[in-house]
């Protein structure tokens, strides 16, 4: 048994099984994939990787299963392995490339069975009598035990909220994960939070609510990610990037290809490297545009060209970012109160009120180079029929 020092959880124990898996190429690649993609353009300390996050998730999963008597050692090993390997399917820059991987491979980052069945990982699993299929099901939360790793309230969320808060320096990611884990149990084959863990569960949801606009959807991060996505799209179109190989790249490999391009993709990459980002021409929420704006998500390129035409500039000088509608799966987490199971939003008034608040956090953006900002903003407001409110968006320099 060895230990590694983690800034979030202290000492994390590693046995022969986990040590051997850590030394495989798919796990080592995670050292070169930043957890928060391009958020270091906002928060200089946000350079932590999927590697240490994976160690943290494994640690929390092991901590939780130790307090459940009905879980066998074999099941504990399977879940620890699933927790350690749950992110090996991520592409470079984490969620920035997820849409491309999904589009071209028809798989999400949780679909890692092909990685579990080949190379050194497959050999290690076979040596320890562990099933790749079972581990894959745990990763996707398709088993009762897998709910610890992937469900409405899981150890994955607990680790990344606390870890992202630590490395960004944003104090909103405070979650009493120790108390929450202590209060989690299986009841009628379902993972539930005990009555004593409701406040800790509330802290997790409040933390996620506050971290969303401050970190995960910070406007500078959204601008940078939108630029990066467009650059990758152009490079795929020009055959500079094979989308089927994108999933195996790390951040450095992808950025090297991007900066080597002589076209539009390369110019965007250079802007990202020099932090000469596009600016917000329009940045509004559902108080100024109706939810019907979501229907435009499938026609973004056409709308960019139309707005650019209204202004008389190149379509490449307009980038539109329309996020998906907010989803709050944690509301459906189960709480055991007085011998019966109820949803968390039924057990907590605080949680129930967060649903509407999450919709208030949603923002769509139209981005453009600084010199076109005013004209593009006017055209975008006209196109999207933005309502005037008493609280108007003020254009500020970044």
């Amino acid at each position: 048994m060895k230990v590694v020092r983690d800034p979030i959880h202290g000492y994390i124990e590693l046995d022969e099984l986990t040590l051997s898996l850590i030394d495989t190429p798919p796990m080592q690649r995670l050292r070169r994939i930043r957890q928060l993609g391009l958020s270091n353009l906002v928060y200089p300390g946000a350079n932590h990787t999927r590697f240490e996050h994976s160690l943290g998730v494994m640690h929390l999963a092991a901590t939780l299963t130790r307090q459940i008597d009905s879980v066998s050692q074999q099941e504990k090993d399977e879940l620890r392995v699933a927790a350690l390997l749950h992110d090996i399917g991520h592409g470079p820059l984490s969620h920035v490339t997820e849409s491309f991987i999904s589009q071209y491979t028809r798989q999400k980052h949780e679909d890692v069975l092909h990685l579990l069945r080949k190379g050194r990982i497959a050999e290690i699993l076979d040596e320890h009598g562990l099933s790749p299929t079972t581990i894959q099901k745990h990763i996707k939360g398709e088993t009762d035990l897998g709910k610890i790793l992937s469900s409405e309230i899981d150890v994955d969320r607990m680790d990344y909220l606390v870890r992202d808060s630590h490395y960004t320096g944003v104090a909103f990611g405070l979650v009493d994960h120790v108390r929450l884990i202590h209060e989690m149990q299986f009841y009628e084959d379902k993972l539930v939070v005990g009555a004593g863990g409701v406040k800790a569960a509330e802290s997790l949801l409040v933390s996620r609510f506050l971290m969303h606009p401050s970190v995960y959807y910070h406007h500078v991060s959204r601008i940078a990610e939108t630029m990066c996505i467009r650059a990758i799209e152009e490079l795929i179109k020009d055959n500079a990037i094979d989308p089927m190989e994108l999933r195996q790249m790390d951040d450095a490999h992808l950025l090297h290809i991007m900066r080597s391009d002589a076209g539009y993709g390369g110019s965007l990459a250079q802007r990202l490297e020099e932090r000469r980002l596009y600016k917000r021409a329009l940045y509004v929420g559902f108080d100024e545009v109706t939810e019907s704006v979501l229907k435009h998500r499938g026609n973004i390129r056409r709308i960019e060209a139309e707005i650019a035409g209204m202004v008389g500039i190149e379509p490449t000088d307009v980038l539109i970012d329309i996020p998906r509608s907010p989803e709050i799966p944690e509301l459906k987490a189960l709480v055991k109160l007085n011998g019966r199971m109820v949803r968390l939003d039924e057990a907590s008034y605080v949680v129930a009120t967060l649903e509407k608040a999450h919709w208030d956090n949603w923002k769509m953006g139209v981005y453009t180079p600084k010199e076109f900002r005013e004209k593009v903003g006017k055209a975008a407001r006209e196109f999207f029929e933005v309502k005037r409110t008493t609280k108007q968006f003020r254009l500020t320099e970044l």
Side-chain angles (χ1 to χ4, degrees):
M1 185 74 68
K2 292 187 177 181
V3 294
V4 294
R5 179 70 181 177
D6 179 66
I8 306 302
H9 305 299
Y11 288 107
I12 294 177
E13 294 183 347
L14 302 172
D15 60 6
E16 185 270 333
L17 169 60
T18 51
L19 279 169
S20 59
L21 287 169
I22 284 172
D23 286 336
T24 61
M27 271 301 299
Q28 290 299 309
R29 186 182 72 94
L30 296 185
R31 291 183 184 270
R32 305 185 297 276
I33 296 179
R34 287 197 294 268
Q35 173 86 359
L36 291 179
L38 297 166
S39 291
N40 64 340
L41 294 176
V42 185
Y43 300 104
N47 291 303
H48 55 303
T49 70
R50 290 277 158 183
F51 180 80
E52 56 259 42
H53 164 63
S54 298
L55 293 180
V57 175
M58 180 199 69
H59 170 74
L60 294 181
T63 301
L64 205 164
T65 55
R66 276 198 294 269
Q67 68 188 36
I68 303 175
D69 296 333
S70 60
V71 179
S72 68
Q73 185 58 50
Q74 171 86 1
E75 291 172 321
K76 290 178 180 179
D77 288 343
E78 288 173 344
L79 190 67
R80 281 191 304 123
V81 169
L84 182 64
L85 302 178
H86 80 284
D87 270 351
I88 59 174
H90 262 296
L93 300 176
S94 294
H95 293 291
V96 174
T97 57
E98 185 139 20
S99 62
F100 295 105
I101 292 170
S102 176
Q103 177 183 349
Y104 289 99
T105 69
R106 303 299 178 188
Q107 292 183 331
K108 297 182 179 180
H109 75 267
E110 298 95 340
D111 297 306
V112 297
L113 188 58
H114 63 293
L115 296 174
L116 301 178
R117 284 179 166 170
K118 69 179 184 180
R120 182 58 184 147
I121 288 181
E123 295 174 1
I124 295 169
L125 297 183
D126 183 61
E127 290 168 4
H128 290 82
L130 301 177
S131 165
T133 302
T134 300
I135 291 169
Q136 167 72 103
K137 289 181 178 179
H138 286 339
I139 290 173
K140 300 181 75 173
E142 295 175 349
T143 64
D144 290 339
L145 200 61
K147 299 299 182 185
I148 291 173
L149 183 58
S150 178
S151 63
E152 290 81 11
I153 292 183
D154 54 43
V155 293
D156 185 19
R157 281 177 174 81
M158 293 180 208
D159 183 84
Y160 77 63
L161 283 170
V162 179
R163 192 172 299 277
D164 294 347
S165 173
H166 175 84
Y167 282 101
T168 59
V170 174
F172 298 142
L174 301 177
V175 179
D176 191 353
H177 59 279
V178 176
R179 175 67 175 177
L180 187 54
I181 285 177
H182 181 74
E183 289 293 334
M184 295 181 77
Q185 58 187 276
F186 280 98
Y187 179 71
E188 296 181 357
D189 296 326
K190 296 183 183 297
L191 186 65
V192 301
V193 178
V198 171
K199 293 301 180 184
E202 287 177 347
S203 77
L204 185 143
L205 266 75
V206 170
S207 169
R208 185 172 179 268
F209 167 72
L210 295 173
M211 290 284 283
H212 196 269
S214 301
V215 176
Y216 305 127
Y217 272 68
H218 188 285
H219 70 273
V220 174
S221 294
R222 293 300 296 181
I223 293 171
E225 289 177 10
T226 303
M227 293 172 66
C228 188
I229 288 170
R230 172 56 74 85
I232 296 171
E233 186 178 276
E234 292 295 315
L235 291 168
I236 290 175
K237 187 189 304 182
D238 295 339
N239 297 317
I241 290 179
D242 182 344
M244 301 304 292
E245 295 179 0
L246 182 62
R247 193 174 188 177
Q248 283 75 51
M249 296 180 186
D250 57 27
D251 293 0
H253 188 180
L254 173 61
L255 294 173
H256 171 72
I257 295 174
M258 290 172 62
R259 74 167 65 94
S260 301
D261 181 69
Y264 176 52
S267 68
L268 286 175
Q270 185 175 4
R271 276 181 167 271
L272 289 170
E273 288 206 331
E274 298 173 0
R275 206 181 182 280
R276 293 185 295 108
L277 306 180
Y278 281 24
K279 305 298 182 181
R280 291 177 291 176
L282 180 69
Y283 198 64
V284 293
F286 287 131
D287 57 335
E288 295 182 74
V289 292
T290 65
E291 294 175 29
S292 63
V293 74
L294 296 171
K295 72 178 185 294
H296 293 305
R297 281 176 50 81
N299 300 303
I300 284 178
R301 298 295 171 256
R302 179 185 62 79
I303 299 171
E304 289 172 347
E306 185 169 341
I307 292 175
M310 295 167 65
V311 178
I313 59 178
E314 293 295 320
T316 52
D317 288 324
V318 178
L319 295 179
I320 295 175
D321 173 31
I322 305 177
R324 293 183 176 88
S325 57
E327 296 180 358
I328 313 131
E330 294 93 338
L331 298 177
K332 300 176 183 179
L334 296 175
V335 177
K336 182 183 176 185
L337 292 177
N338 301 321
R340 66 187 186 93
M341 289 184 292
V342 298
R343 282 181 30 154
L344 182 58
D345 57 346
E346 298 172 356
S348 167
Y349 177 77
V350 171
V351 171
T353 59
L354 284 178
E355 183 169 14
K356 181 181 183 303
H358 269 286
W359 282 80
D360 290 340
N361 274 341
W362 184 94
K363 292 287 188 295
M364 70 161 284
V366 178
Y367 314 129
T368 190
K370 181 180 179 180
E371 58 268 29
F372 306 130
R373 193 176 195 177
E374 186 174 343
K375 292 180 179 179
V376 170
K378 182 178 179 181
R381 282 186 172 276
E382 180 180 335
F383 180 89
F384 289 108
E385 299 179 343
V386 176
K387 295 179 292 185
R388 293 288 175 179
T389 67
T390 56
K391 184 179 67 175
Q392 287 299 316
F393 170 69
R394 179 178 297 173
L395 296 178
T396 57
E397 295 299 324
L398 300 180

